Amino acid sequence: MAPERGVVHRLHPASLPLELVRRISRFGFYAVVAVVLAARSEELAYLFLLLLPIGGAVMRFLSFRYELADDRLIVREGVFVKQVRQIPYARIQNLDTTQGVLHRALGVVDVRVQTAGGKEPEAVFQVISRERLEELRAVIFGARAEPVDAWSSAAPSSIDEAPLFRMRASDLAVHGLLSQKGLFVVGGLLLVLREFADRDRVKELFQSGVEQLPVEPRALGAWTWVALSVAGFALLQLATLAWAVVTLFGFRIERRGDALHSQYGLFTRHETSLPRRRIQALHVKQGLFQRLFGRVSVHAVSAGGVGGEEKEHARPWLVPTCRGEELPRLLRSVQPDAEFDAAPWRKVHPRATRRLTIQGTLLYSLSFGTVAAVLISTDFVPLAPTLGVVLVLALAAAMVRAKLVYRALAFARTDKALFLRHGVLTRRKTCVPLEKIQSVRLSQTPLDRMARMATLSIDTAGPGGQHAAFVVPYLPVREARRLSRALTREANRRDFRW
Amino acid sequence: MDDELPPPIEPAHTDVRPTPDGAPEAPIAPSLLADGVPQRLDPSYVAYDRLSGWVGVAVVFALGVVGLGAFWISSEPKLAKLAVLAGAWVALLALLVATTLFLPRKRWERARWTVSRAGLEIRKGVFFRSITNVPRSRVQHTDVTQGPIQRRFGLATFVVHTAGQQHSEVELEGVAFDVAKALRDDLMAAGAGDGA
């Protein structure tokens, strides 16, 4: 089925009931208030309040139109304030879809179209059928024209190659255990209980429950309590695992044309398509516990569509958790230039260790000193020797930290990309292709000036954040200057493509 | 000294730019700009920066008088508290006056901008120094803005926008209005698309 151009489409009719469910669940409180008011006053007029969300859904459904023009997507919506958006296909960064259980029953999807500008998605289709989605995808990414049912198990025949990555049960388990979302599950339950249950009633129930227990709680021995806590902990871990399974079940990434296509979720299924060339930077992160299990996570930063109200729809990772061994193969197909292992790594200025030691000594003296001050003020320990111990300890700790930080910190430049690695407990690696560099900045604090060092920061169109930003501190000034000149030249020579 | 940012390079021909006392010369041709030679800010930047500094001093002075006055009038003031607040105010004023007197000249001496085929380079800072490079092909759009004080001195701020996130706006404050317009013409002239 070749996608037809210039035909105006509406949303799928299932949009109405789904939008209604969404609005009612979002304004659930409002609905409850309306019903309670109606019940208390026996005044059915209050039920008309319920019509507001219904009216909103109907108006939205009736006013929404979209059209696949030759080179752009045209979206019209609004009843009182009309809005026409024209989005050139070339500007579209990615297409994210979500499919809840109800959506799946009805064979429809929620689609978000994101461009580089702004924090909100450029267009939201709530909802269209799968065929329409495939049509959209085909037109936007110029991929295959025939519809692909990604959810059928017979999918491989319609895919360019075998999945780039498939999350195994063990990956899922490790990811779940490391995220410890079980606490959220338990916290959520407690919150629901607090909101909707009468406190005295709960207390009563609890007490009657305790009374009905076959044993007296006080009579239980220490070992029983230990066993109970272990059981409680195990239950928490189960909740954590359940969370991981529900959210990430069946996670896999495939390549379709130039786009990376990932899908996951047990009940609510998510699908995202990200063109490879739109990746602004790649981050590989390995936390302390991930390292114990030999796992890493990969983040692909693309421009736009992050933060704001749509945060829940932002993809925090490209790969939530994978084995270290799988990483090179995966990176090769995601961004061939991101050869972390082959990069000519360079260290920063050797005197960085000394600066880090001085910095650390001051820092640790302050924190150890606070503890010591408390101990001294309570006459628990004598003054002079304690201060001496504090200084020695602070110096030792700072020296160890400085060595570790220095060892972890390195950068590299190839003729294709720029690399950075850093972090002692959580190890981070970043790769920025040279054509994604937006600007280069060298900065120098008074301390830097005394030590003849400078800090190099690279700005890209991808959101940086505290750890994701590409910042190389403690560079020898001359080298930093050479590097910033060369990088500006290299970036300028290459055309930036969104 | 050459381990510092920026290295003390003397501009080769500052005389192309408007002189402090003379009227601005004819607008600078774009071709003249992209010469890769470091340029200073307009000499009137010093007076402009100083005047902005004095405005700041006046604002802090006024706010202090109002604030302390209100504190004095309101429920019987504790003298010790008042003295501490007044002390802090005087110290802040003294600091502002000192920076207003001495920094503008230093800032002007340290600042350089360079336009070359590769792009725009801006050096600035007295205590905290920086060199920012924006490749020519990464310029998304530019602004030339002129505040009320700047207008008095015929100065402007030239702003380059990139698609970046942290430094998406790179500002060059204190060039003559004509120079800013010439910069805009030069950097936008290439008309480099983003290839999308």
Side-chain angles (χ1 to χ4, degrees):
Chain A
M1 182 187 78
E4 280 178 74
R5 301 296 175 97
V7 181
V8 177
H9 297 294
R10 285 165 176 260
L11 295 176
H12 191 277
S15 179
L16 264 176
L18 285 171
E19 180 67 10
L20 209 60
V21 168
R22 199 179 66 90
R23 277 176 196 246
I24 287 179
S25 69
R26 178 175 288 184
F27 302 111
F29 176 70
Y30 168 81
V32 167
V33 167
V35 169
V36 166
L37 275 178
R40 287 239 171 113
S41 61
E42 296 189 355
E43 186 69 73
L44 288 179
Y46 283 112
L47 285 180
F48 281 106
L49 286 176
L50 283 178
L51 287 180
L52 281 177
I54 298 175
V58 171
M59 284 201 298
R60 188 196 157 83
F61 174 71
L62 289 180
S63 68
F64 195 99
R65 301 264 196 296
Y66 73 95
E67 178 188 337
L68 293 166
D70 284 339
D71 60 340
R72 64 192 59 209
L73 172 68
I74 304 172
V75 180
R76 286 164 225 270
E77 59 183 313
V79 174
F80 301 114
V81 180
K82 303 225 183 230
Q83 185 183 329
V84 181
R85 275 185 188 211
Q86 312 219 4
I87 312 165
Y89 299 135
R91 299 280 174 200
I92 292 174
Q93 289 282 322
N94 43 260
L95 211 63
D96 288 0
T97 71
T98 313
Q99 212 182 8
V101 182
L102 279 175
H103 294 74
R104 283 168 65 188
L106 295 166
V108 292
V109 279
D110 252 6
V111 184
R112 295 184 149 63
V113 175
Q114 295 181 329
T115 63
K119 300 197 181 307
E120 307 283 309
E122 210 63 47
V124 182
F125 297 86
Q126 244 158 6
V127 295
I128 55 175
S129 64
R130 282 214 71 94
E131 294 82 62
R132 288 267 170 272
L133 166 67
E134 289 309 332
E135 191 180 292
L136 209 65
R137 194 174 269 150
V139 172
I140 290 172
F141 297 123
R144 59 192 58 252
E146 74 266 28
V148 176
D149 184 4
W151 300 115
S152 70
S153 50
S157 62
S158 61
I159 288 161
D160 287 359
E161 36 192 300
L164 285 184
F165 172 72
R166 198 191 282 276
M167 218 166 157
R168 292 188 200 80
S170 60
D171 294 331
L172 216 58
V174 170
H175 186 79
L177 291 179
L178 293 186
S179 64
Q180 284 300 329
K181 286 284 158 70
L183 284 175
F184 285 94
V185 176
V186 173
L189 283 180
L190 284 180
L191 211 68
V192 168
L193 211 65
R194 217 190 68 175
E195 279 303 312
F196 290 105
D198 185 4
R199 181 173 298 195
D200 296 329
R201 180 85 187 113
V202 170
K203 223 175 197 168
E204 216 172 89
L205 270 177
F206 182 71
Q207 264 167 5
S208 68
V210 169
E211 276 160 20
Q212 280 169 20
L213 283 178
V215 286
E216 175 76 13
R218 291 199 189 83
L220 292 176
W223 284 112
T224 322
W225 282 113
V226 168
L228 276 177
S229 347
V230 168
F233 183 73
L235 218 60
L236 193 68
Q237 298 314 306
L238 272 180
T240 281
L241 286 177
W243 175 84
V245 168
V246 167
T247 53
L248 286 175
F249 180 78
F251 186 96
R252 68 178 190 214
I253 301 178
E254 286 146 12
R255 247 181 78 181
R256 292 191 192 167
D258 189 47
L260 294 171
H261 190 89
S262 59
Q263 44 186 264
Y264 54 94
L266 183 61
F267 298 122
T268 297
R269 277 175 169 167
H270 300 268
E271 270 183 72
T272 68
S273 305
L274 172 68
R276 284 193 310 161
R277 63 185 180 84
R278 308 233 194 248
I279 296 175
Q280 307 290 325
L282 265 183
H283 302 293
V284 178
K285 183 183 147 200
Q286 189 174 42
L288 190 60
F289 293 103
Q290 275 181 315
R291 210 177 330 156
L292 283 181
F293 291 100
R295 297 299 206 280
V296 294
S297 52
V298 183
H299 303 238
V301 181
S302 72
V306 236
E309 265 184 62
E310 294 289 324
K311 207 157 203 157
E312 57 191 300
H313 297 291
R315 287 145 298 121
W317 22 247
L318 178 68
V319 177
T321 293
C322 75
R323 279 152 218 259
E325 313 88 84
E326 288 172 314
L327 189 63
R329 192 181 79 91
L330 196 67
L331 286 180
R332 257 199 305 282
S333 25
V334 172
Q335 170 59 266
D337 302 330
E339 290 188 303
F340 285 102
D341 295 332
W345 290 104
R346 291 176 60 88
K347 307 296 296 173
V348 297
H349 200 299
R351 274 206 309 274
T353 323
R354 204 173 72 186
R355 280 186 70 185
L356 280 163
T357 309
I358 297 171
Q359 240 177 51
T361 309
L362 291 176
L363 205 80
Y364 289 134
S365 306
L366 220 64
S367 51
F368 295 172
T370 318
V371 178
V374 173
L375 292 180
I376 291 166
S377 69
T378 52
D379 283 335
F380 195 67
V381 287
L383 177 68
T386 311
L387 284 185
V389 169
V390 162
L391 266 182
V392 169
L393 274 181
L395 187 66
M399 278 167 79
V400 172
R401 175 177 163 268
K403 275 248 152 41
L404 290 174
V405 169
Y406 180 76
R407 206 161 62 187
L409 183 62
F411 67 98
R413 182 196 152 202
T414 62
D415 51 356
K416 297 272 177 51
L418 201 56
F419 299 85
L420 172 68
R421 68 167 155 86
H422 63 114
V424 175
L425 293 182
T426 299
R427 292 184 181 165
R428 293 168 201 276
K429 285 193 259 185
T430 301
C431 167
V432 176
L434 294 186
E435 75 259 23
K436 302 299 185 200
I437 294 176
Q438 293 293 334
S439 67
V440 183
R441 174 171 292 195
L442 280 187
S443 53
Q444 210 178 25
T445 65
L447 281 176
D448 274 332
R449 199 136 37 94
M450 279 161 60
R452 297 182 172 181
M453 297 178 192
T455 299
L456 176 80
S457 339
I458 301 295
D459 198 17
T460 66
Q466 197 198 344
H467 296 296
F470 197 104
V471 176
V472 193
Y474 310 125
L475 281 172
V477 158
R478 281 156 197 265
E479 192 174 353
R481 193 72 191 103
R482 265 202 307 277
L483 200 60
S484 80
R485 282 215 176 98
L487 290 174
T488 309
R489 239 184 355 255
E490 290 294 317
N492 189 42
R493 267 183 35 206
R494 295 164 159 80
D495 272 342
F496 173 60
R497 300 176 73 202
W498 278 102
Chain B
M1 279 300 273
D2 46 69
D3 280 336
E4 292 189 359
L5 305 182
I9 302 168
E10 274 312 309
H13 47 83
T14 34
D15 52 335
V16 179
R17 308 291 166 239
T19 47
D21 38 355
E25 291 166 21
I28 298 129
S31 60
L32 254 176
L33 275 171
D35 50 9
V37 178
Q39 306 287 345
R40 285 182 186 274
L41 298 180
D42 193 274
S44 57
Y45 171 78
V46 180
Y48 152 72
D49 196 18
R50 205 164 274 155
L51 183 58
S52 327
W54 288 124
V55 170
V57 169
V59 168
V60 171
F61 181 80
L63 283 179
V65 167
V66 172
L68 290 176
F71 188 71
W72 177 258
I73 292 165
S74 69
S75 58
E76 62 268 28
K78 297 199 174 57
L79 270 181
K81 223 173 186 176
L82 192 68
V84 169
L85 284 176
W89 176 55
V90 169
L92 181 64
L93 271 180
L95 187 73
L96 279 179
V97 167
T99 54
T100 305
L101 284 177
F102 300 110
L103 271 186
R105 178 101 210 148
K106 286 275 170 208
R107 280 204 196 111
W108 182 79
E109 277 171 8
R110 293 243 63 110
R112 296 283 191 285
W113 58 268
T114 313
V115 177
S116 64
R117 290 223 311 273
L120 175 67
E121 175 176 300
I122 297 171
R123 309 165 173 221
K124 61 180 169 194
V126 175
F127 298 112
F128 292 84
R129 297 179 184 175
S130 69
I131 304 183
T132 308
N133 285 78
V134 182
R136 196 173 270 273
S137 59
R138 298 298 184 269
V139 176
Q140 289 285 327
H141 63 276
T142 60
D143 294 334
V144 175
T145 65
Q146 205 179 23
I149 306 180
Q150 283 180 323
R151 208 168 307 148
R152 258 191 69 143
F153 292 93
L155 293 176
T157 300
F158 179 64
V159 189
V160 174
H161 296 261
T162 71
Q165 291 272 326
Q166 277 105 37
H167 313 298
S168 62
E169 281 177 33
V170 178
E171 289 189 8
L172 175 60
E173 191 192 19
V175 285
F177 188 58
D178 290 334
V179 175
K181 283 194 292 187
L183 270 169
R184 177 190 64 195
D185 293 343
D186 184 76
L187 284 172
M188 297 311 287
D194 50 24

